[in-house]
Amino acid sequence: QVQLKESGGGLVQPGGSLRLSCVASGRIFNIDTMGWYRQAPGKERELVASVTRNGDTNYANSVKGRFTISRDNANKMVSLQMNSLRTEDTAVYYCTIKGMGYYTEHDVPVVTGESTWGQGTQVTVSS
């Protein structure tokens, strides 16, 4: 009933930039925290950046000063501007929502604190 769709991944050279976007679909009436995680081969999934409904942001130390997260509440979107990319940024990037309210197909309002995940988009930084 609620789905997240990422876009914007691809191949970029070191030092380059990419912008990831994620849109949530479904009859959503409230979203708490939106964010991005990533998982590199052989590594655990890690938080990249998150933003609350009020605009408070949190970044992994490894991306501070290079990545910027933003959200558009009206359009249920979150974006991640990635600059000065490094080879170690190579990973699958996942969009996530933690905490939201939505209506089911039977018009029942549901409020949950659980996380919802997108399917991921590949980012490869290589020369």
Side-chain angles (χ1 to χ4, degrees), residues 43-79:
K43 295 188 176 181
E44 294 187 354
R45 190 173 296 189
E46 63 174 358
L47 173 69
V48 177
S50 64
V51 56
T52 69
R53 182 173 180 80
N54 294 327
D56 295 327
T57 58
N58 182 39
Y59 293 93
N61 287 333
S62 60
V63 307
K64 284 181 180 177
R66 301 188 297 124
F67 291 9
T68 303
I69 190 170
S70 59
R71 66 185 278 174
D72 178 346
N73 289 327
N75 292 302
K76 295 174 285 187
M77 290 181 61
V78 63
S79 298

Side-chain angles (χ1 to χ4, degrees), residues 3-121:
Q3 292 185 323
L4 301 179
K5 178 64 176 177
E6 303 102 334
S7 61
L11 173 65
V12 64
Q13 292 186 342
S17 298
L18 279 176
R19 185 177 181 84
L20 304 183
S21 295
C22 172
V23 61
S25 61
R27 300 174 64 197
I28 302 170
F29 58 84
N30 180 60
I31 298 175
D32 291 338
T33 301
M34 305 184 80
W36 293 90
Y37 280 70
R38 67 186 180 187
Q39 187 166 20
K43 295 188 176 181
E44 294 187 354
R45 190 173 296 189
E46 63 174 358
L47 173 69
V48 177
S50 64
V51 56
T52 69
R53 182 173 180 80
N54 294 327
D56 295 327
T57 58
N58 182 39
Y59 293 93
N61 287 333
S62 60
V63 307
K64 284 181 180 177
R66 301 188 297 124
F67 291 9
T68 303
I69 190 170
S70 59
R71 66 185 278 174
D72 178 346
N73 289 327
N75 292 302
K76 295 174 285 187
M77 290 181 61
V78 63
S79 298
L80 185 69
Q81 179 64 42
M82 305 185 294
N83 298 328
S84 302
L85 282 161
R86 305 168 180 168
T87 55
E88 54 263 39
D89 295 318
T90 296
V92 177
Y93 284 69
Y94 297 91
C95 173
T96 183
I97 288 177
K98 182 171 175 57
M100 64 177 168
Y102 65 94
Y103 291 100
T104 70
E105 60 182 3
H106 302 295
D107 295 328
V108 176
V110 175
V111 176
T112 176
E114 295 182 353
S115 295
T116 299
W117 296 86
Q119 294 199 344
T121 184

